Amino acid sequence: MTGGYSGLGLAVTRALARTGALVVVPARRPDAARRALADVKGVEVDKLDLADLDSVRMFAERFRRGHNTLDILIANAGIMACPETRVGPGWEAQFATNHLGHYALTNLLWPALTAAGRARVVAVASGYNPDWSIRWDDVRFDRGYDKWAAYAQSKLANILFARHLDKVGRARGVHAFSVNPGWILTSLQRHLTVGEMVAAGWIDADGNPVPGLFRTPEQGAASLVWAATSPLLDDHGGGYCADCRISRDGPTDSGEAARLWALSARLTDLDVAADDSRQDG
């Protein structure tokens, strides 16, 4: 459960731990995660920086040494509308953290996911807008940075990733979903000023949330837990979910999903689809 120690992620961690599940929470700030989860039983905390592929590799190696199987992977951690930031080999930070880090993590944990027999991967997206796009000719935003366009690209990537991952994984017993948890005020908004949120109509001038707009973290967590566990979804992988149901609002172009997968494979040099194909051949 990435990002499982604050906001939405903390609510999901608590919900899963209450069922008796062992929840592993990889965190960029493990000490902060341990403090936040001190009262939650059945949780392991480890170090992971999704923007650093070496960190992702080291975490995956430690996980696989300690755990043979992984039943559920929830790709929740993310950043939103941050100032222009470059990570790794010059990647734009939102695309790198929200998508590429989770793509790499899923690939590196693939043996544990397939060993589970029936596993699920849940990518936390956002409310889909048909105007969203992948900037195929400039995915790094080298030619002019727009923090909201970069965020939209990363969230569309989450949806497309889950769609193609399900196609890749279904023969191995791995299903994938993307989820829109709804509007929730958490630390995700930390890069926004009060003025920006007032102008957007999210809060009033005194900093109070606009009535009826935001959900609690627990309300948002419900759709994530549903996508991760509901038997109703056993034969419906790849879907974009909201409000504990499969939504018809998500993108439908499977070609874009395959194209994103191929791009991600080139950028990270990881591709379980190609590895499985070679093994089967």
Side-chain angles (χ1 to χ4, degrees), residues 25-50:
V25 178
R28 188 170 57 85
R29 299 178 297 134
D31 289 342
R34 291 187 184 96
R35 290 193 295 270
L37 295 165
D39 64 335
V40 184
K41 296 181 179 179
V43 174
E44 293 181 3
V45 174
D46 202 340
K47 184 172 180 59
L48 169 66
D49 182 350
L50 286 164

Side-chain angles (χ1 to χ4, degrees), residues 11-276:
V12 175
T13 297
R14 290 185 182 278
L16 293 175
R18 281 196 297 269
T19 71
L22 170 62
V23 185
V24 177
V25 178
R28 188 170 57 85
R29 299 178 297 134
D31 289 342
R34 291 187 184 96
R35 290 193 295 270
L37 295 165
D39 64 335
V40 184
K41 296 181 179 179
V43 174
E44 293 181 3
V45 174
D46 202 340
K47 184 172 180 59
L48 169 66
D49 182 350
L50 286 164
D52 181 346
L53 285 189
D54 288 337
S55 176
V56 178
R57 289 182 184 277
M58 288 187 288
F59 166 77
E61 290 173 3
R62 290 192 300 272
F63 180 92
R64 290 176 57 193
R65 284 198 300 267
H67 306 281
N68 294 323
T69 61
L70 175 59
D71 298 290
I72 299 168
L73 171 59
I74 301 181
N76 165 71
I79 54 177
M80 182 178 76
C82 62
E84 183 174 2
T85 306
R86 300 290 159 181
V87 298
W91 294 336
E92 188 278 315
Q94 295 185 80
F95 188 72
T97 302
N98 299 354
H99 169 60
L100 288 176
H102 286 123
Y103 171 89
L105 182 63
T106 304
N107 275 260
L108 292 165
L109 293 178
W110 194 246
L113 287 164
T114 56
R118 296 176 68 86
R120 288 193 188 173
V121 178
V122 178
V124 180
S126 186
Y128 173 67
N129 186 320
D131 292 334
W132 288 359
S133 65
I134 304 294
R135 190 180 286 193
W136 297 110
D137 62 341
D138 186 25
V139 72
R140 303 195 325 175
F141 281 79
D142 290 326
R143 298 196 299 272
Y145 179 69
D146 181 307
K147 65 183 182 182
W148 286 113
Y151 178 69
Q153 174 176 259
S154 74
K155 293 289 101 177
L156 175 58
N158 294 150
I159 298 171
L160 297 175
F161 162 70
R163 173 157 297 179
H164 196 73
L165 175 61
D166 189 80
K167 183 178 179 180
V168 168
R170 65 182 61 162
R172 306 283 184 176
V174 179
H175 280 301
F177 302 89
S178 58
V179 175
N180 168 23
W183 292 60
I184 305 167
L185 275 177
T186 67
S187 60
L188 187 65
Q189 291 85 22
R190 62 187 176 275
H191 295 294
L192 301 178
T193 66
V194 171
E196 285 177 303
M197 289 191 282
V198 170
W202 298 357
I203 61 176
D204 63 23
D206 295 322
N208 301 306
V210 172
L213 181 59
F214 291 100
R215 301 177 179 182
T216 66
E218 290 73 20
Q219 288 170 330
S223 288
L224 272 68
V225 174
W226 177 78
T229 63
S230 174
L232 297 175
L233 295 174
D234 285 348
D235 300 317
H236 298 282
Y240 170 66
C241 305
D243 299 320
C244 296
R245 62 180 179 84
I246 297 178
S247 173
R248 296 181 180 179
D249 295 335
T252 58
D253 188 343
S254 59
E256 288 243 309
R259 185 179 182 184
L260 176 67
W261 187 277
L263 171 64
S264 305
R266 290 196 301 272
L267 292 174
T268 63
D269 198 27
L270 293 165
D271 189 355
V272 292
D275 294 343
D276 278 359

